[in-house]
Amino acid sequence: MNYETRTDQGITLLVPDVTRLDASTANALREALIGQLGTGAEKLVLDLSGVSFLDSSALGALIAAAKRVGPSGHFGVAGTQPAVARLFALTHMDRVFTLYPSTAEAIARLSA
């Protein structure tokens, strides 16, 4: 799995280049997220605007990354498509992760 990373106003954005995050991409996703946190990213936002499917394996990768965020850090998710948003709601992960409608909204809130 490839991904794009960029930093905007001190917030690291990670954008996967796939439309499905599942068992075949979960390990790469986990490594990418934890790798960004390992390089000192304190505010990390995963942009899922291009992802139309996310399964429990990928959700596990997000949880693993969230556990690595330090007390002064933040890990959020932006741009969830309807099917992905439903998974977050059904699993109550919308209570665990901060969900932003877009990366622009995430940047605005986190840089304020």
Side-chain angles (χ1 to χ4, degrees):
M1 177 186 90
N2 291 321
Y3 56 89
E4 173 192 348
T5 58
R6 65 183 187 275
T7 302
D8 191 334
Q9 298 183 40
I11 295 124
T12 302
L13 303 169
L14 189 135
V15 186
D17 72 345
V18 295
T19 59
R20 297 177 56 90
L21 291 171
D22 54 24
S24 68
T25 58
N27 285 334
L29 176 62
R30 180 182 297 112
E31 289 174 12
L33 292 168
I34 291 173
Q36 289 301 313
L37 293 168
T39 61
E42 289 189 11
K43 295 179 181 177
L44 177 61
V45 174
L46 177 64
D47 181 357
L48 294 180
S49 59
V51 175
S52 58
F53 178 82
L54 186 133
D55 75 358
S56 60
S57 300
L59 196 55
L62 300 184
I63 293 166
K67 289 180 178 181
R68 299 278 180 117
V69 176
S72 63
H74 176 81
F75 174 54
V77 178
T80 55
Q81 298 294 320
V84 174
R86 272 193 302 279
L87 175 67
F88 275 89
L90 287 170
T91 59
H92 300 288
M93 289 294 114
D94 57 347
R95 297 177 187 169
V96 174
F97 295 100
T98 304
L99 302 178
Y100 302 99
S102 66
T103 56
E105 179 71 21
I107 292 166
R109 287 195 201 168
L110 291 172
S111 62

